[in-house]
Amino acid sequence: MDGSIGVPVVRRDGAAKTSGTALYAADFPHADTAYAALTTSTVTRGRIIRIDTTEAEAVPGVQMVLTHHSLNETLGEETFVMKGGHMQSSFMPLTSDEVHYAGQIVALVVADTQEAAEEASRKVSVDYAAQHASASIEDADRVEEPMDDKSIDVGDAEAAFDRAPVKVDATYLTPAQHHNPIELYGATAVWQDGKLLVNAPSQWVVGNQAGLAAIFGLPMDDIRVESPYLGGGFGAKATILPHTVLVAMAARRLGRPVKLVVPRETGFTVSSFRPATRSRVRLAAEQDGTIVAVMHDEAAQSAVIDHVAFPATGVTARMYASPNIRMRESTIATDVNTPGFQRAPAEAPGFFGFESAVDELAVALGMDPIELRIKNEPVCDPVKGLPWSSRSLVPCFRRGAELFGWNRRTPEVGSMTTPDGMLLGWGCASATYPSAMCPSSARVKLSADGTCVVSCAAHDLGTGAYTVLGQVAADVLGVPDELVRVHLGDSTLPSGPVAGGSVTTGSAGSAVHMAALAVRERLLKAAAGGGDPASFTLAGGHVIGPDSHGRPVAEVLASVTGGMIEETADWKPGSMSGDQMRMGLAGGMAFAGPTTETHASYSFGAQFAEVRVDPLLRTVRVSRMVGVFACGRIINPRTARSNLMGGMIWGASFALLEETKVDRPRARFANTDLAGYHFSTNADIGEVVVETVDEVDTVVNAIGAKAVGEIGIVGMPAAIANAIYHATGVRVRKTPILVEDLLG
Amino acid sequence: MQPFTYVRADSLDAALSEASQPGAAIMAGGTTMVDLMRGNLAAPSRLVDIGHLPGLSEIDTTGPVLRFGALARMADVAEDATLLRDYPALSESLRLAASQQLRNAATLGGNILQRTRCQYFRDGISNCNKRVPGSGCSALDGENREMGLLGTSDQCVATYPGDWGAALAAFDTSVELRSVGGSRTVPFAQFHLPYGDDPAHESVVQPGEIVTAITVQAMPAGRKSTYVKVRDRQSYAYAVVSATVALEMDGDTVTSARVSLGGVASKPWRAPEAEAVLTGRTLTEAVALEAGAAAFAAARPLHHNAFKIELGRRAVARAALLASKRT
Ligand SMILES: Cc1cc2nc3c(=O)[nH]c(=O)nc-3n(C[C@H](O)[C@H](O)[C@H](O)COP(=O)(O)OP(=O)(O)OC[C@H]3O[C@@H](n4cnc5c(N)ncnc54)[C@H](O)[C@@H]3O)c2cc1C
């Protein structure tokens, strides 16, 4: 079957996953494995004044209990990912008696069985000297700390706002949220001959390898991180979670493989989460809808132990033409585990407020919200004046409106109903996501048996990378899909980028493309013998010479030493320096874009929602969603569609369900299981229509692919909130929008 | 969890004698029990699995007394055609509960004995008078949207979460119990205990007792009955509020009414105040809403759950209006 670019190739990993043969990190069997369990703090802030492990050690089968007394080991230099390292947090549990957040690891128990480890972990007895703590940005004692370097000022937005005839000034809230990947966190560590193998679900095997090498003072080659499949990661599995280090230490001391699987509740505090945000958005327009001022002040939850921020205003500033833009960012430190990346970290929360405000402006103007957006479409980046590498937001809206049937919308609140008496609401919102790039290596091998093997330490989180990266090679080499093999998720493979920032296809794909071209060149050279390779071409599994005579690729390869051609390529984004590339390939965080010296590169989308609101009970159901996106070249329409659809469904959860509640008096997360932390079930999601518009982007990277992975979630929460307003006249400026928000 | 002995009983008598051992606990479908044990909220030394006992899963939905064996599976009972026709509220309460997978495993007896979902009870670390009597109640000043406002006390504000129990409360229901010492029958209204000062005890079931059956007196109002469950998502979520209404009508006039509530009270909650409002009245939306308001007259709202008074009022109204249209 044709497996080239643009073909909806079926997911290569699908059969292994559905038949249960795919090995996830916790599935790897290692002889003589011991099992670990965690004891976590029951207070939020303070000190451990006594920790007694006697009873835990007495549980039959217990091998070891690590606490801050017994860990006693100096770790190598390694730090928080936002400070250039690879760790989820700057704080390493068990290195002191300090407690910085609820649910912090205070002991790690290892036993011969999982049951014994769990039982013993409960028997670790801890006394704390607790101190006052705050885990909510709404707590009175929390202060906003401005991040001046994130400010954006174009023109004089305050003055323009004051003068303008039509304006909106509103504040929007989004809560803390947790990734809750169905595959739980965990790690298995195996030491052999002084070398460490870690099976941990990872979105960044090379980064984890580099970090662990630093921590254990070993060369990178002595560390292997292997994670071929992920049961969801959504950003939470990019960095090294502290327990991975503890498990590796325990395994080294014990001289046995040690496996930890973190229970769901504990997962809320031993990893990261999406921080809460508060956005004040001010928009002003002339009567005709011309936007004259855009102001967005975002304050986001951070941690006392780590300053972390995912500023949205650098992205919302790019949406609409306005001569006056003023953006401000600040953080609010709270006593929580360090927040981290979660699908569209900046954009998803930021766009809820921003795109709700755009809808409010449309209502204030009495203007159609799509018309308002189209009227203010910027010809170039409104902040720096750079040209777009490509931008098709308007075609997305036009097509989306057509698919959704927007022209049948009557704008008056509550004016549309269903035959069974439900209030119908139709809303829309814009979405965008930056197309940044990372350097990547890749290896492509073409063999006489016809197979093409692609290897890269990139990752497939269920996103389709196994499929898509194979297609890039197949496209260049004309190999049928069934002969393509792809290896990912193993740090022994050529370096690949972090599965974050929606970079995989563009970055690893460009490296595969480069390697495949190199293979192709050698193949043609081999076929040409002493002749001119340029007069040879590759088609249908044959090398075709100037005489139009075709020789099977296998025959040409048989004449090559070793019967195969293998090439490894190192690809870097055009705007990146060689040093940056080397740093990135060695496991550093190296991003180029989305704005370079010459261009601004973003994917764009238009999202639509239909809600049905029960007029009496005021419950909301999302009956229809439409999303149309422009993401450059679509390598595989099937996997792209699934990705975008998954994002939209998550967006519906964001709008109506997802919230990690904070128990404010006790300063800790309250609903730490899947019975309490709700996301959409099948029954919550009606029809979902996803399309992409054709777009050619010759700037962004070698294969013209822009970001797909995260944009799907971005506009959905606002589209749904806007639809709810249309149905009910109630403007809810926080998520999740719950039944009590609409009871009136 | 702490080590325990697992015993799979093969007859009711064997089960009763196993259950009478010190430290023994019963497991039927296990969908609640295993969670409780994993969370250290139950730590039996002996777990007596009765899930497969013969003779306890039959149901009879035709007689003057409806009889449900304690081991009947939620999924099977939900699909019983007679129940669906004659007592739709009872079928619906099962259909709208949990997930298909859970309903396949879970039993009716286990269902009425499921424990509260209160996160402060479940988390194992908060102050909770139900878990550690005398330790206090973190829910009072904590996140209490999910908590109850009827039948609660200053010691405990947790809800009884089950749907089936909530619906049963509207009917003349009894529970049959057996132990090595004999058998007894307890009216459902007395089966669950009011919280008062002792929230740790939720039902009259004594150690060693096994629920063998649930019975419901046949009632013409069963046909005009419905279970309205308001939840945050369309499936797989406990009720924010639920309302069961069963009516007998003469034309547009309600001649007899049963109303019960779920998700808002310490136990399955019958609402006679609402029944009184409906009885003898012509059923209009206004009357239905008046009945709903009456159901919550005694509500003790907390910081985050006061909205349930209004939502509950509307849920009762919706249920009454829907029930009245049933034939
Ligand atoms: C994720 C999840 C979601 C859920 N959602 C809902 C929902 O939306 N609505 C709802 O109503 N329920 C819901 N449930 C609860 C579910 O319905 C109950 O767990 C189930 O009905 C219990 O039945 P079981 O047979 O599994 O009981 P078990 O777990 O076996 O037992 C439950 C308790 O009853 C005791 N017990 C059981 N049988 C007997 C007996 N015959 N005699 C004496 N004691 C007995 C046990 O000792 C134990 O204390 C949910 C459960 C889960 C796990």
Side-chain angles (χ1 to χ4, degrees):
Chain A
M1 199 191 94
D2 177 16
S4 53
I5 289 178
V7 176
V9 172
V10 172
R11 263 166 60 164
R12 234 174 274 292
D13 48 340
K17 285 182 171 172
T18 48
S19 63
T21 54
L23 288 189
Y24 290 79
D27 299 333
F28 282 86
H30 295 291
D32 197 30
T33 297
Y35 297 84
L38 302 172
T39 307
T40 56
S41 67
T42 56
V43 303
T44 300
R45 208 161 74 86
R47 279 181 191 286
I48 298 169
I49 50 177
R50 187 191 63 94
I51 183 158
D52 184 353
T53 59
T54 325
E55 256 195 85
E57 277 157 15
V59 171
V62 168
Q63 297 293 338
M64 173 189 291
V65 182
L66 285 183
T67 68
H68 66 282
H69 292 309
S70 52
L71 189 74
N72 246 342
E73 203 171 313
T74 316
L75 302 173
E77 265 312 295
E78 178 55 9
T79 181
F80 178 39
V81 65
M82 304 300 248
K83 294 186 193 150
H86 305 89
M87 297 299 298
Q88 178 260 330
S89 168
S90 319
F91 176 70
M92 186 66 206
L94 307 194
T95 54
S96 81
D97 61 358
E98 292 161 27
V99 176
H100 294 287
Y101 49 90
Q104 173 188 312
I105 299 170
V106 296
L108 175 123
V109 178
V110 185
D112 293 336
T113 65
Q114 174 77 46
E115 291 76 11
E118 265 180 42
E119 177 64 7
S121 71
R122 253 201 277 277
K123 294 197 160 155
V124 175
S125 145
V126 194
D127 290 337
Y128 303 92
Q131 288 162 8
H132 172 78
S134 288
S136 165
I137 61 172
E138 303 303 329
D139 285 342
D141 64 345
R142 297 294 104 179
V143 284
E144 274 188 41
E145 296 163 58
M147 288 191 292
D148 293 333
D149 61 326
K150 301 294 179 203
S151 297
I152 295 172
D153 284 289
V154 178
D156 186 346
E158 300 265 13
F161 185 83
D162 288 344
R163 273 197 311 270
V166 184
K167 40 198 154 190
V168 167
D169 178 353
T171 298
Y172 307 84
L173 305 174
T174 65
Q177 299 177 349
H178 276 76
H179 310 73
N180 278 310
I182 286 304
E183 180 198 26
L184 297 165
Y185 302 115
T188 306
V190 186
W191 289 89
Q192 202 168 17
D193 306 326
K195 296 184 181 185
L196 173 63
L197 164 68
V198 170
N199 288 132
S202 177
Q203 296 174 237
W204 194 20
V205 288
V206 180
N208 283 214
Q209 177 194 24
L212 291 167
I215 289 170
F216 289 104
L218 292 170
M220 268 180 81
D221 284 349
D222 286 357
I223 310 269
R224 178 178 183 187
V225 178
E226 193 189 13
S227 171
Y229 299 105
L230 286 129
F234 317 118
K237 293 170 177 171
T239 53
I240 303 174
L241 300 178
H243 57 249
T244 301
V245 177
L246 299 176
V247 166
M249 292 176 116
R252 189 167 60 178
R253 284 194 191 184
L254 210 56
R256 267 171 85 175
V258 173
K259 180 193 288 202
L260 169 72
V261 177
V262 178
R264 179 66 60 194
E265 320 76 84
T266 316
F268 278 74
T269 56
V270 303
S271 74
S272 64
F273 68 98
R274 188 197 290 284
T277 71
R278 182 166 63 221
S279 277
R280 179 180 182 199
V281 184
R282 281 170 288 173
L283 302 174
E286 303 293 357
Q287 293 290 3
D288 69 353
T290 306
I291 294 179
V292 293
V294 171
M295 293 191 268
H296 186 172
D297 294 58
E298 185 186 42
Q301 178 179 25
S302 179
V304 170
I305 45 172
D306 276 310
H307 184 260
V308 49
F310 307 102
T313 58
V315 188
T316 53
R318 259 84 197 182
M319 289 314 293
Y320 304 109
S322 171
N324 305 294
I325 300 173
R326 176 193 166 283
M327 302 305 207
R328 295 290 181 272
E329 287 287 342
S330 63
T331 56
I332 302 170
T334 53
D335 298 302
V336 291
N337 40 312
T338 305
F341 325 103
Q342 184 171 324
R343 202 175 197 174
E347 299 76 10
F351 271 62
F352 166 66
F354 191 77
E355 286 293 312
S356 292
V358 173
D359 197 69
E360 297 205 45
L361 184 64
V363 171
L365 287 160
M367 194 170 174
D368 179 82
I370 298 180
E371 282 314 306
L372 174 63
R373 289 175 171 94
I374 291 176
K375 185 172 181 69
N376 292 284
E377 172 70 4
V379 289
C380 59
D381 165 25
V383 178
K384 293 196 172 160
L386 294 167
W388 307 104
S389 71
S390 53
R391 172 166 170 140
S392 310
L393 179 61
V394 172
C396 288
F397 265 110
R398 296 237 151 88
R399 177 63 183 148
E402 200 171 281
L403 286 168
F404 192 78
W406 186 260
N407 60 4
R408 297 196 309 275
R409 179 180 187 263
T410 53
E412 296 73 34
V413 161
S415 61
M416 296 172 74
T417 51
T418 66
D420 60 350
M422 295 285 141
L423 296 165
L424 205 57
W426 287 7
C428 66
S430 302
T432 190
Y433 195 83
S435 286
M437 294 293 137
C438 293
S440 177
S441 304
R443 186 166 61 227
V444 173
K445 176 171 139 184
L446 191 63
S447 302
D449 65 3
T451 58
C452 170
V453 181
V454 175
S455 304
C456 175
H459 319 79
D460 189 327
L461 295 84
T463 46
Y466 274 113
T467 313
V468 166
L469 294 178
Q471 283 178 260
V472 174
D475 194 67
V476 174
L477 297 171
V479 181
D481 180 56
E482 51 276 16
L483 294 178
V484 175
R485 315 269 180 272
V486 181
H487 299 299
L488 307 175
D490 183 341
S491 65
T492 59
L493 302 173
S495 182
V498 60
S502 301
V503 303
T504 295
T505 302
S507 307
S510 292
V512 171
H513 186 251
M514 197 171 161
L517 286 177
V519 169
R520 183 170 178 273
E521 194 181 313
R522 276 183 54 197
L523 181 72
L524 298 186
K525 212 181 247 168
D532 176 14
S535 57
F536 284 75
T537 54
L538 185 57
H542 289 73
V543 181
I544 297 152
D547 55 357
S548 303
H549 174 73
R551 274 170 73 199
V553 168
E555 190 188 306
V556 180
L557 284 171
S559 68
V560 175
T561 327
M564 58 93 179
I565 297 174
E566 180 177 276
E567 285 291 335
T568 304
D570 296 338
W571 179 85
K572 74 173 183 64
S575 62
M576 185 178 274
S577 71
D579 281 350
Q580 276 286 98
M581 172 179 86
R582 279 181 288 280
M583 186 273 280
L585 294 181
M589 226 7 134
F591 276 86
T595 52
T596 64
E597 300 278 286
T598 60
H599 286 87
S601 287
Y602 291 80
S603 291
F604 289 93
Q607 300 187 271
F608 296 76
E610 174 184 277
V611 299
R612 286 162 196 241
V613 183
D614 185 310
L616 180 65
L617 299 176
R618 309 296 272 185
T619 46
V620 177
R621 173 142 166 71
V622 179
S623 43
R624 234 156 35 95
M625 294 190 275
V626 170
V628 179
F629 303 90
C631 308
R633 192 174 183 194
I634 299 301
I635 311 296
N636 181 328
R638 181 194 301 265
T639 55
R641 174 176 175 274
S642 293
N643 233 318
L644 295 163
M645 181 187 289
M648 290 167 67
I649 290 170
W650 194 341
S653 291
F654 190 123
L656 300 177
L657 296 169
E658 287 202 42
E659 173 176 20
T660 308
K661 292 181 196 161
V662 177
D663 178 311
R664 287 168 65 180
R666 279 152 291 274
R668 62 176 179 240
F669 300 133
N671 50 331
T672 55
D673 63 28
L674 296 188
Y677 188 94
H678 285 171
F679 40 79
S680 299
T681 63
N682 247 327
D684 292 291
I685 303 300
E687 185 186 29
V688 188
V689 176
V690 184
E691 271 197 16
T692 53
V693 298
D694 290 335
E695 198 177 47
V696 177
D697 191 322
T698 53
V699 174
V700 65
N701 53 42
I703 56 175
K706 292 197 295 183
V708 169
E710 291 163 85
I711 189 172
I713 187 175
V714 174
M716 223 56 242
I720 290 171
N722 297 342
I724 290 173
Y725 173 80
H726 180 229
T728 64
V730 183
R731 180 67 69 178
V732 184
R733 299 191 181 91
K734 63 111 175 135
T735 66
I737 300 172
L738 298 169
V739 63
E740 55 263 44
D741 298 315
L742 301 172
L743 280 174
Chain B
M1 59 185 110
Q2 95 174 19
F4 61 91
T5 305
Y6 171 85
V7 187
R8 193 180 153 114
D10 51 17
S11 72
L12 180 57
D13 285 339
L16 289 169
S17 110
E18 288 290 352
S20 68
Q21 306 289 317
I26 302 290
M27 178 173 87
T31 61
T32 282
M33 197 59 192
V34 173
D35 272 2
L36 293 175
M37 290 174 70
R38 302 267 338 213
N40 218 31
L41 300 164
S45 53
R46 201 173 188 77
L47 188 65
V48 184
D49 185 349
I50 61 166
H52 300 87
L53 283 186
L56 290 181
S57 45
E58 277 76 49
I59 64 169
D60 176 1
T61 50
T62 56
V65 176
L66 284 62
R67 209 182 153 74
F68 303 92
L71 295 182
R73 265 39 190 191
M74 290 169 75
D76 295 335
V77 180
E79 297 313 316
D80 183 81
T82 314
L83 194 68
L84 190 58
R85 188 195 60 207
D86 292 347
Y87 301 88
L90 293 179
S91 298
E92 288 161 1
S93 77
L94 291 168
R95 285 183 169 191
L96 297 173
S99 64
Q100 183 66 41
Q101 290 90 333
L102 283 158
R103 294 193 297 270
N104 288 341
T107 66
L108 297 187
N111 192 291
I112 59 173
L113 285 166
Q114 65 178 287
R115 302 207 64 185
T116 184
R117 305 305 301 191
C118 172
Q119 67 237 20
Y120 297 100
F121 168 71
R122 298 246 166 194
D123 72 14
I125 59 172
S126 298
N127 293 337
C128 173
N129 290 321
K130 207 183 250 309
R131 182 163 32 75
V132 183
S135 62
C137 173
S138 294
L140 287 174
D141 67 345
E143 271 299 300
N144 48 36
R145 176 181 190 261
E146 317 310 323
M147 303 301 150
L149 22 65
L150 289 166
T152 53
S153 73
D154 292 341
Q155 271 63 49
C156 185
V157 291
T159 60
Y160 169 81
D163 293 304
W164 164 245
L168 283 176
F171 295 83
D172 294 322
T173 305
S174 295
V175 181
E176 295 180 1
L177 292 150
R178 285 273 305 270
S179 68
V180 283
S183 58
R184 59 177 177 143
T185 300
V186 180
F188 195 59
Q190 277 131 51
F191 184 76
H192 294 95
L193 298 168
Y195 282 168
D197 291 337
D198 181 16
H201 291 100
E202 292 172 355
S203 80
V204 297
V205 179
Q206 296 300 309
E209 272 190 312
I210 290 180
V211 173
T212 51
I214 298 163
T215 60
V216 175
Q217 299 292 323
M219 186 168 83
R223 283 225 178 190
K224 279 188 181 305
S225 74
T226 191
Y227 184 75
V228 168
K229 180 174 181 178
V230 183
R231 45 186 169 172
D232 290 326
R233 61 181 172 192
Q234 296 294 315
S235 173
Y236 207 20
Y238 285 94
V240 176
V241 174
S242 78
T244 307
V245 173
L247 300 175
E248 269 181 82
M249 300 193 57
D250 182 3
D252 289 341
T253 305
V254 176
T255 54
S256 138
R258 292 296 178 88
V259 180
S260 65
L261 305 173
V264 289
S266 56
K267 52 180 274 190
W269 196 259
R270 175 108 175 247
E273 309 85 346
E275 296 169 359
V277 170
L278 292 171
T279 308
R281 303 276 291 278
T282 303
L283 190 65
T284 60
E285 180 165 314
V287 169
L289 283 165
E290 190 188 326
F296 286 85
R300 297 164 26 114
L302 300 161
H303 188 63
H304 301 111
N305 73 0
F307 75 94
K308 289 185 184 176
I309 297 176
E310 178 59 24
L311 185 61
R313 180 176 80 106
R314 298 185 191 192
V316 169
R318 167 63 55 81
L321 295 168
L322 277 179
S324 72
K325 297 198 182 75
R326 292 254 152 97
T327 45

